[in-house]
Amino acid sequence: VNVGIAVCYPDISSSGSKKIEIFKTTDGGVTWLAKGGSLLTNSKPNQIPRYIKDDLGDFFWFGSSDGEIIKTNDKGTTWTVTQTPYTTSHYELDSKSLGHFAIIDANTAYFTDFNTGKLYKTTDGFLTEQYVGDPGLGRQTYLERIPSTNILIAVSGSYNPGTSRGSKYSTDGGLTWVLISNIGRMFVKSKGI
């Protein structure tokens, strides 16, 4: 309960490359230790963390502005950086932009394409993707998975041209979708309650 992770935007000074910074506390925020080290130093320079993220148990993953997934599967002790098939994350000015995702285990997650809202799955930590289905909500579809189930919830608030308002759920891992409401929503979260 005293473990926390802070992901910080890079130093915006004019000296040197700007790098994402990660800190971890194990004492409720009294002390913070820098994490990531050379791994983040060796990743692409001048990128920023995107606010798409997901956490589940020991796992905490977030996207970068250059389409990398930066993740820990041990509560922030060690970190890995993986270049996804996407060139950016949560950014409408790129044709291949990673959307929101929901972690299943250490290498598996469902995720949406930011621009189309179509649903994909990775089983190898975002090295590759497999198309699953289309919730039909378009650009900037938010996604959540109810833990320990195949139930997915997708929502969109019609914030961009080409999106539909509404919320839908799937009980078969995203193959088929059922309408909940035509009212727009965003940032759905479930801890299985």
Side-chain angles (χ1 to χ4, degrees):
V1 100
N2 289 320
V3 176
I5 296 169
V7 177
C8 305
Y9 273 58
D11 176 6
I12 58 171
S13 70
S14 58
S15 60
S17 292
K18 300 163 180 64
K19 293 290 180 179
I20 294 170
E21 297 179 64
I22 302 172
F23 297 92
K24 178 182 177 180
T25 182
T26 56
D27 56 14
V30 175
T31 57
W32 291 86
L33 297 173
K35 302 305 271 182
S38 63
L39 179 71
L40 294 181
T41 303
N42 293 331
S43 70
K44 294 179 180 177
N46 302 319
Q47 59 179 325
I48 60 172
R50 302 306 294 179
Y51 71 82
I52 60 161
K53 67 174 179 61
D54 196 29
D55 60 278
L56 178 67
D58 294 345
F59 314 124
F60 180 87
W61 302 2
F62 66 94
S64 78
S65 56
D66 285 347
E68 292 179 340
I69 283 290
I70 301 166
K71 64 182 180 174
T72 178
N73 290 328
D74 56 13
K75 293 186 181 176
T77 301
T78 59
W79 292 84
T80 60
V81 176
T82 302
Q83 178 62 54
T84 72
Y86 292 79
T87 53
T88 188
S89 298
H90 194 267
Y91 199 59
E92 55 273 349
L93 299 178
D94 198 317
S95 61
K96 188 77 171 161
S97 187
L98 177 65
H100 294 269
F101 54 91
I103 300 170
I104 298 171
D105 62 34
N107 287 305
T108 309
Y110 288 104
F111 61 96
T112 59
D113 180 294
F114 180 84
N115 291 307
T116 67
K118 291 181 179 179
L119 180 72
Y120 296 85
K121 185 176 183 180
T122 181
T123 56
D124 56 14
F126 279 98
L127 291 173
T128 62
E129 62 184 10
Q130 300 87 44
Y131 176 74
V132 177
D134 188 355
L137 297 174
R139 182 179 290 183
Q140 197 170 348
T141 295
Y142 296 87
L143 182 70
E144 183 60 283
R145 175 180 167 264
I146 296 179
S148 303
T149 73
N150 284 325
I151 300 172
L152 298 173
I153 302 168
V155 298
S156 179
S158 189
Y159 304 105
N160 294 292
T163 60
S164 301
R165 287 181 179 242
S167 53
K168 295 183 178 184
Y169 71 92
S170 172
T171 59
D172 57 11
L175 297 175
T176 60
W177 293 89
V178 178
L179 181 68
I180 299 171
S181 171
N182 285 320
I183 298 172
R185 298 280 187 249
M186 60 186 280
F187 297 121
V188 62
K189 288 305 275 183
S190 170
K191 294 301 178 188
I193 298 173

